[in-house]
Amino acid sequence: MSRARPGLVRSAMSPTRDRMIATTAHLLRAQGFHGTGLNQITADALAPKGSMYHHFPGGKEQLAEEAIRYYADVVLSLLEHCLENPDVPDALDAFVGALSHQLERSAFLDGCPVGLTAMEAGATSDRLAAATQAAFDRWISAVARRLEKDGVPDAHERATTVIAAVEGGVMLARAHRSTAALRAISRSLAPLVVSCG
Amino acid sequence: MSRARPGLVRSAMSPTRDRMIATTAHLLRAQGFHGTGLNQITADALAPKGSMYHHFPGGKEQLAEEAIRYYADVVLSLLEHCLENPDVPDALDAFVGALSHQLERSAFLDGCPVGLTAMEAGATSDRLAAATQAAFDRWISAVARRLEKDGVPDAHERATTVIAAVEGGVMLARAHRSTAALRAISRSLAPLVVSCG
Amino acid sequence: MSRARPGLVRSAMSPTRDRMIATTAHLLRAQGFHGTGLNQITADALAPKGSMYHHFPGGKEQLAEEAIRYYADVVLSLLEHCLENPDVPDALDAFVGALSHQLERSAFLDGCPVGLTAMEAGATSDRLAAATQAAFDRWISAVARRLEKDGVPDAHERATTVIAAVEGGVMLARAHRSTAALRAISRSLAPLVVSCG
Amino acid sequence: MSRARPGLVRSAMSPTRDRMIATTAHLLRAQGFHGTGLNQITADALAPKGSMYHHFPGGKEQLAEEAIRYYADVVLSLLEHCLENPDVPDALDAFVGALSHQLERSAFLDGCPVGLTAMEAGATSDRLAAATQAAFDRWISAVARRLEKDGVPDAHERATTVIAAVEGGVMLARAHRSTAALRAISRSLAPLVVSCG
DNA sequence: ACTCTCGGGACCCCCCGTTGAT
DNA sequence: ATCAACGGGGGGTCCCGAGAGT
């Protein structure tokens, strides 16, 4: 009877719900968890405030959790797409380039909601800490798998370094309002991601 | 004669003022700019609430700005102390180890207020963006000078990568509540900071 | 034939409906009208939230109205049972004792929903005012009939005083978290309810 | 130097504060604790919202507590004034008459905030329970002292009954929107408050 | 006949960052 | 150098319809 199996295609459940998650992810990038109010989220998502409580009984924390999950998915797709490149330094460059492009297009408003939330609320909320941890793990694993395939030694450690440096690069980019740091990082990291490095 | 020369011996102006700055720096590490209230700052600093706008006419933003400057000084001292080590990878290890120690001692509450503020408010407040930018620049320059002294090529780019990766590592440490990522980063980055790398 | 005769066998209409009424009566005793939410009622009654407006199109007000009617019935039964006692002071003592027992058993949570609702919403809602008025009238009449039978003068006035004092005693009991006041009232009122008083 | 000694003449501290207490007492009479919002209180008292938290750091509960204390004082004055009457039944009649007058003048909106709060929140909030208990105790004591002076036996028990019956009478008056019950109670109680009763 | 999802504002209490008077 | 006073949101929950589906 064509009813969505609950838990299977969550994103098909409700357009309002999805809009709220996407809006939250977006606002989280620019303002962080504490800087983003429910009023702004519902206003930007054109959602009534009463729906908040219906779709996200866990409140703002649940909403942020799902927004992080959503954003982690999006970035993972981008990352995996880039990693299809035969050359890993090129892949890294493409990934960093995409992030740089987003930063520039948004006047350096769109940072990384995962890293920001990890630093803001990671120590307070177990729920958000778990969500950010999972996001990082998935990204690191994606890179690590590619490095392993290429026979790069210490694949997981290096993948961790790559993700950390990119996150730090986004941070620097926001502070400097320039993507120069990101480009520098991409170049410096090249030797780390090749097997002869 | 009772007018302190601005910027020179600022820290000698008022013990209350200094306590507020140090307290703010500490709270910013754990909760970020928007998550930290003036009430908590004045309470923790044992400062009367009314003094806030006497000492910091620029309000919360000025207070955060000075806290970031203060924290940047402290970390710069630590960094320069570590960089006196004859071996740069060892220096990096010592630096990362000190940060790890702080994280562990504080149950991963004490992150980096500079990076956090850069992501939270960097796009909104020019003042805070400038403060975080300056902090990063000083740290990067300190590393770059040492690399140049050792004849490492692309010193500034690599120094940028080092600082970015360490900041990203602190982020990962908070998310995972473990310093494993920081240690991995320190190891992976070693080849980048030696002249034969 | 499937139409329940309204008012006659109302309680046979739906077990869910009855459970909601009983639950509401119970919550009204402890928290009052404004302090009791529909969410709590439906949750405690294990009733589906969507059924609310099917069973009670008049909303919360209708639900409270029926709960008061229901509670008035229960107390009237208790009162009439006590009044079968040949001695009216003994009857009063038994009635007050039963109320005291309920208060003590519930840690003084279970007061009187009728009196509480009368004071909370009696001035606002005609519907609830009528329901509480009817409840009080039935209780007073039950006492008055017995007093008349015993030849007590001013039966209705004295019955009114008895009910008022008992309601006030429940109030005092809740405030003091002690049933001492109720016992005192029962003793003091004895001369009023005998013909030679 | 001419500054009000704190704690001595509390009511002289701030006119805004006093207005808020009086307004709260008034609203509590008609709507109860849960039915009265802080918005309405501040609006009716022509007080800025931010002052709430300044004058009453304990929030709504503290405000209600002080309102109850204030109202208890007012009623105690009235009661003691009435009890100066040489005849206690007359005194009781005058007291009940004053309450009746208030009820009628306010279209039966102005009940008793003490009794209402005792029933609404007495079981939840220790603070409010204590405040209502103290109010009742003072009223009962005032009556008991007078009865003792007249040589009435069981003075405290009878005083308790008087206060309970009057409170219950106010309840009935609100339900019936008539002061008939209060007048009946006053008459019925007369024999209890004279020494030969 | 009955239930559930989803939506819809209004409003809750609390606390925020800020200032005028002193 | 201080503090009482100030408005304005903060997140959260309220009671209640509309629609589609058993």
Side-chain angles (χ1 to χ4, degrees):
Chain A
M1 46 339 217
S2 94
R3 208 69 179 79
R5 276 80 71 219
L8 221 189
V9 212
R10 190 184 356 192
S11 65
M13 284 173 71
S14 158
T16 297
R17 192 187 145 95
D18 293 344
R19 229 169 35 240
M20 295 184 74
I21 291 175
T23 301
T24 303
H26 186 75
L27 292 173
L28 244 33
R29 297 179 79 166
Q31 308 168 333
F33 182 75
H34 290 123
T36 302
L38 255 18
N39 286 332
Q40 191 182 3
I41 293 174
T42 49
D44 285 17
L46 298 176
K49 217 168 164 201
S51 303
M52 246 294 311
Y53 185 59
H54 172 68
H55 290 299
F56 306 94
K60 191 186 187 186
E61 201 173 326
Q62 182 189 350
L63 186 48
E65 184 191 2
E66 306 216 20
I68 285 169
R69 209 134 57 195
Y70 163 78
Y71 181 81
D73 283 346
V74 171
V75 168
L76 184 63
S77 297
L78 169 66
L79 186 54
E80 284 176 336
H81 176 76
C82 291
L83 287 170
E84 287 170 4
N85 197 303
D87 184 61
V88 183
D90 282 356
L92 180 57
D93 220 53
F95 181 58
V96 165
L99 298 180
S100 298
H101 187 64
Q102 286 184 6
L103 280 163
E104 281 165 350
R105 271 182 59 107
S106 65
F108 296 94
L109 279 168
D110 289 352
C112 173
V114 179
L116 180 40
T117 306
M119 301 195 79
E120 263 194 296
T124 304
S125 158
D126 289 341
R127 199 166 179 173
L128 293 178
T132 53
Q133 179 176 346
F136 285 138
D137 283 345
R138 292 168 67 200
W139 296 345
I140 291 172
S141 292
V143 175
R145 276 194 303 271
R146 181 61 160 86
L147 296 186
E148 274 168 7
K149 212 187 72 178
D150 283 22
V152 176
D154 305 319
H156 195 267
E157 282 200 353
R158 296 192 180 188
T160 300
T161 303
V162 166
I163 295 299
V166 170
E167 284 286 339
V170 172
M171 206 182 257
L172 292 177
R174 287 202 63 162
H176 288 86
R177 296 186 184 170
S178 144
T179 54
L182 275 169
R183 286 193 299 274
I185 288 163
S186 175
R187 275 194 295 273
S188 297
L189 250 31
L192 251 65
V193 292
V194 290
S195 55
C196 57
Chain B
M1 64 81 199
S2 71
R3 239 1 181 26
R5 277 81 71 217
L8 220 193
V9 244
R10 188 182 333 130
S11 66
M13 285 173 70
S14 157
T16 295
R17 195 188 140 91
D18 293 346
R19 228 169 33 241
M20 293 184 75
I21 291 173
T23 301
T24 303
H26 185 76
L27 291 173
L28 244 34
R29 298 181 77 167
Q31 307 168 334
F33 181 76
H34 289 123
T36 302
L38 256 17
N39 286 333
Q40 190 182 4
I41 292 173
T42 48
D44 284 17
L46 301 175
K49 217 184 150 182
S51 310
M52 251 302 302
Y53 283 82
H54 172 68
H55 292 299
F56 305 93
K60 191 185 184 184
E61 201 172 326
Q62 182 189 350
L63 185 48
E65 183 192 1
E66 305 215 21
I68 285 168
R69 210 131 59 194
Y70 163 79
Y71 181 82
D73 283 346
V74 172
V75 168
L76 185 63
S77 297
L78 169 66
L79 187 55
E80 286 177 334
H81 175 75
C82 290
L83 287 170
E84 289 169 5
N85 197 303
D87 185 60
V88 183
D90 282 356
L92 180 57
D93 221 53
F95 181 59
V96 165
L99 297 181
S100 298
H101 187 63
Q102 286 184 9
L103 280 163
E104 281 165 349
R105 271 183 57 108
S106 65
F108 296 94
L109 279 168
D110 288 352
C112 173
V114 179
L116 182 39
T117 305
M119 301 195 79
E120 261 194 298
T124 304
S125 158
D126 290 341
R127 201 166 180 174
L128 293 178
T132 53
Q133 179 176 346
F136 284 138
D137 283 345
R138 293 167 68 200
W139 297 345
I140 291 171
S141 293
V143 174
R145 278 195 300 274
R146 180 61 159 86
L147 295 186
E148 275 168 6
K149 211 187 71 179
D150 282 23
V152 176
D154 305 320
H156 195 268
E157 282 200 353
R158 294 194 181 189
T160 299
T161 303
V162 166
I163 294 300
V166 170
E167 283 288 338
V170 171
M171 203 183 259
L172 292 177
R174 286 202 64 161
H176 288 86
R177 296 186 185 169
S178 148
T179 55
L182 275 169
R183 286 193 300 273
I185 288 164
S186 175
R187 274 194 297 272
S188 297
L189 250 32
L192 250 67
V193 293
V194 291
S195 55
C196 57
Chain C
M1 64 80 194
S2 72
R3 241 353 181 33
R5 275 81 71 218
L8 220 192
V9 247
R10 189 183 331 126
S11 67
M13 283 175 73
S14 156
T16 295
R17 197 188 138 90
D18 293 344
R19 229 170 31 242
M20 294 184 76
I21 291 173
T23 301
T24 303
H26 186 76
L27 291 173
L28 244 34
R29 299 180 78 167
Q31 307 168 335
F33 182 75
H34 290 123
T36 302
L38 256 18
N39 286 334
Q40 191 182 3
I41 292 173
T42 48
D44 284 18
L46 301 175
K49 237 183 131 176
S51 313
M52 248 307 298
Y53 284 83
H54 172 68
H55 292 301
F56 305 94
K60 192 187 184 184
E61 201 173 326
Q62 182 190 350
L63 186 47
E65 184 192 1
E66 306 217 19
I68 284 169
R69 210 130 60 194
Y70 163 79
Y71 180 82
D73 283 346
V74 172
V75 168
L76 185 63
S77 297
L78 170 66
L79 186 55
E80 286 177 333
H81 175 75
C82 292
L83 287 171
E84 288 171 4
N85 196 304
D87 186 61
V88 182
D90 282 356
L92 180 56
D93 220 55
F95 181 58
V96 164
L99 297 181
S100 298
H101 187 63
Q102 285 184 9
L103 280 164
E104 280 166 349
R105 272 183 58 108
S106 65
F108 296 94
L109 280 168
D110 289 352
C112 174
V114 179
L116 181 39
T117 305
M119 301 196 79
E120 262 194 298
T124 304
S125 158
D126 290 341
R127 200 168 180 172
L128 293 178
T132 54
Q133 179 176 346
F136 284 138
D137 282 346
R138 292 167 68 200
W139 298 344
I140 291 172
S141 293
V143 175
R145 278 194 301 272
R146 180 61 159 86
L147 296 186
E148 276 168 7
K149 211 188 71 178
D150 283 23
V152 177
D154 304 321
H156 195 267
E157 281 200 354
R158 295 195 181 187
T160 299
T161 303
V162 166
I163 294 300
V166 170
E167 283 288 337
V170 171
M171 206 183 256
L172 291 177
R174 286 201 64 161
H176 288 86
R177 296 185 185 170
S178 148
T179 55
L182 275 167
R183 285 193 301 273
I185 289 164
S186 176
R187 274 194 297 272
S188 297
L189 249 33
L192 252 65
V193 292
V194 290
S195 55
C196 55
Chain D
M1 44 352 204
S2 93
R3 212 69 179 81
R5 278 80 71 219
L8 220 189
V9 213
R10 189 179 358 176
S11 65
M13 283 174 73
S14 158
T16 297
R17 192 188 143 94
D18 293 345
R19 230 171 31 243
M20 294 184 75
I21 291 175
T23 301
T24 303
H26 186 76
L27 291 173
L28 244 34
R29 297 179 80 167
Q31 308 168 333
F33 182 77
H34 290 123
T36 302
L38 257 16
N39 285 333
Q40 190 183 3
I41 293 173
T42 49
D44 284 17
L46 299 176
K49 257 185 111 179
S51 304
M52 243 301 305
Y53 186 59
H54 171 66
H55 290 300
F56 306 94
K60 191 187 186 185
E61 202 173 326
Q62 183 189 349
L63 186 48
E65 184 191 1
E66 306 216 20
I68 285 169
R69 210 134 56 196
Y70 163 79
Y71 180 82
D73 283 345
V74 172
V75 168
L76 185 63
S77 297
L78 169 66
L79 187 54
E80 285 176 336
H81 176 73
C82 292
L83 287 170
E84 287 169 5
N85 196 305
D87 184 60
V88 183
D90 282 356
L92 181 55
D93 220 53
F95 181 58
V96 165
L99 297 181
S100 297
H101 187 63
Q102 286 184 7
L103 280 163
E104 280 164 350
R105 272 182 58 105
S106 65
F108 296 95
L109 279 168
D110 289 352
C112 173
V114 179
L116 180 40
T117 306
M119 301 196 78
E120 262 195 295
T124 304
S125 158
D126 289 341
R127 200 166 179 173
L128 293 178
T132 53
Q133 179 175 346
F136 285 138
D137 283 346
R138 291 168 67 200
W139 297 344
I140 292 172
S141 292
V143 174
R145 276 194 302 272
R146 181 61 161 86
L147 297 187
E148 273 168 7
K149 211 187 71 178
D150 282 22
V152 177
D154 305 321
H156 195 268
E157 281 199 354
R158 294 192 181 189
T160 299
T161 302
V162 165
I163 294 300
V166 170
E167 284 287 338
V170 171
M171 207 182 256
L172 292 177
R174 287 202 64 162
H176 288 88
R177 297 187 182 169
S178 146
T179 55
L182 275 169
R183 286 192 300 272
I185 288 164
S186 176
R187 276 194 295 272
S188 297
L189 250 31
L192 251 65
V193 292
V194 290
S195 55
C196 57

